[in-house]
Amino acid sequence: MCLVKAADVSAATARIAPFVRRTPLLPLPGERLLLKPENRQPTRSFKVRGAVNALGRLAEEGVRHVVAQSSGNHAQAIAYAAATYGLRATVVLPDTAPELKVTAARRLGAEVVIAPPALREVTCLALADRLGATVVGSDDFDVIAGHGSAGAEICRDLPEAGTILVPVCNGGLLAGVAVAAKETDPAITVIGVEPELAADGAASFRSGTRTAWPVEQTYRTRADGLRAPTLGALAWEHIRRYVDDMVTVSEDSIGAAAGVLWGKLGEHAEPSGAVATAAYLTHHTELPAGPVVAVISGGNAAARQE
C-alpha cells in the first residue's frame, strides 16, 4: 500500500493554496496550548484541504462527476471543491446529519442523498455505479496529502512544537498531519483524539488491529463529525507508522472545551472540532514538555447564544 510522503504534502499545499486559508496558531491565555483554527476555512472545516487537492487531481484526469459519503463536513468540502473545478458532485449524508450541514452542501451546489447511517457507504457505491461517477473517500491518498498541509503549516509556524493533538473520525486528518510532522521532525509527538463514546480508533491503536464499532455505539457521541465506525484502511496504515498515541475524552469535557474556545478566543467550534482542546484540558499534565498544538477541526454548528 502506497503511503503519503512529504513531497506529496508539498505538492498538495501548492495546489490548494489559491482556494483555502492558511490558518494561524492562536495561543490560549495562561496555557502552553496553541490552537489551529480550521473552523475558519471556507467551508468551516479542515475537510476543504483534502477535497480541493483530490478534486484538483481528478479534474486534471478528466473526471466530471464525483460522489462522496459524509457525516456533513466532507460533503460540504466536496461540494466546494467541485464548484471550484466545474465538476458535478453528489453526496450521501445520514438522516441524523444536522440540517445546517445538509443545507450547506446543497447551497454549495451538491446533489444530496439522505440514507440511514449504516447504509451510507453502500448507497454511495451504488450511486457511483449507476451515475458513472468517481468516489472520493475521506481518507483517499490525495485527501490525506491535502490534509497534511495543516501539519506542514504547524511545523513552519512553530518549529519548537512538542505535541500535536488531532481529532479523529476515519483518520484522514490525523494521517496527513502525522506524515507532515514526523517527516519534518521525528521528535514531535502526534496524538489522535476521539470521544469516549466513539473510540474505535483508540481501540485499534491499542490492539494493533483495525477495529470497527457498531454504528449504534459511535452515534451516541454529540461529536457528529467523529462517528465513523472504523478508521479508513489507508489512514490506518499511516497511523500505525507515524502516530505516537491515541486518547479519548468525555462528552462533558467536549462541551467544556467548546466553551473555553468561545469564551477565551471567540472561536466557534462544533463538538467534533473541540475534542483536541478537550484532550489538552483533560490530559495536559501527561503530555510531553514543550508547546502543544490542538487542531480545531470544524465549526459547523448552530451559533452560540450568549
Side-chain angles (χ1 to χ4, degrees):
M1 187 176 289
C2 185
L3 300 187
V4 173
K5 299 295 184 184
D8 302 307
V9 174
S10 295
T13 301
R15 181 176 294 107
I16 70 178
F19 312 110
V20 306
R21 293 173 186 152
R22 194 185 191 291
T23 53
L25 292 178
L26 310 174
L28 186 68
E31 302 287 347
R32 59 185 176 116
L33 178 67
L34 297 97
L35 289 310
K36 179 75 168 167
E38 290 295 291
N39 54 308
R40 296 185 180 184
Q41 290 293 352
T43 60
R44 297 184 60 79
S45 92
F46 76 94
K47 292 284 191 177
V48 71
R49 293 178 181 269
V52 168
N53 188 51
L55 268 64
R57 289 286 298 271
L58 291 173
E60 291 168 1
E61 296 169 5
V63 169
R64 303 307 303 160
H65 188 181
V66 295
V67 178
Q69 62 91 9
S70 164
S71 63
N73 286 343
H74 182 57
Q76 292 176 65
I78 291 293
Y80 173 86
T84 297
Y85 293 111
L87 308 184
R88 178 184 173 191
T90 303
V91 296
V92 179
L93 292 168
D95 55 19
T96 56
E99 185 57 35
L100 176 150
K101 295 184 178 182
V102 176
T103 299
R106 287 192 173 117
R107 185 177 65 249
L108 289 164
E111 302 161 39
V112 176
V113 175
I114 304 296
L119 298 180
R120 279 165 41 185
E121 183 70 28
V122 295
T123 301
C124 180
L125 295 175
L127 279 169
D129 184 61
R130 178 166 63 84
L131 299 170
T134 299
V135 176
V136 182
S138 54
D139 81 321
D140 285 357
F141 184 97
D142 289 324
V143 172
I144 290 175
H147 294 339
S149 62
E153 290 175 10
I154 291 170
C155 292
R156 284 196 295 270
D157 291 345
L158 191 71
E160 68 273 25
T163 303
I164 304 176
L165 300 170
V166 186
V168 178
C169 181
N170 76 332
L173 176 62
L174 177 60
V177 169
V179 168
K182 289 293 190 177
E183 296 211 356
T184 299
D185 180 3
I188 295 176
T189 298
V190 180
I191 299 174
V193 185
E194 288 183 307
E196 291 175 352
L197 299 182
D200 58 281
S204 301
F205 191 84
R206 299 282 175 260
S207 68
T209 302
R210 190 163 68 109
T211 302
W213 279 24
V215 166
E216 294 76 15
Q217 283 187 267
T218 61
Y219 270 66
R220 296 172 300 166
T221 179
R222 73 175 70 185
D224 65 280
L226 306 182
R227 291 172 174 166
T230 187
L231 296 169
L234 183 56
W236 169 238
E237 294 303 319
H238 291 81
I239 289 167
R240 292 174 63 190
R241 177 166 181 172
Y242 291 105
V243 172
D244 296 287
D245 200 2
M246 297 272 281
V247 300
T248 62
V249 292
S250 70
E251 298 296 294
D252 286 347
S253 69
I254 294 171
V260 168
L261 291 171
W262 177 255
K264 293 194 174 184
L265 295 176
E267 293 296 328
H268 180 52
E270 63 186 280
S272 304
V275 298
T277 304
Y280 173 83
L281 296 174
T282 304
H283 299 287
H284 63 93
T285 59
E286 307 156 29
L287 298 176
V292 178
V293 177
V295 179
I296 304 175
S297 56
N300 283 303
R304 298 178 64 90
Q305 300 296 318
E306 300 293 338

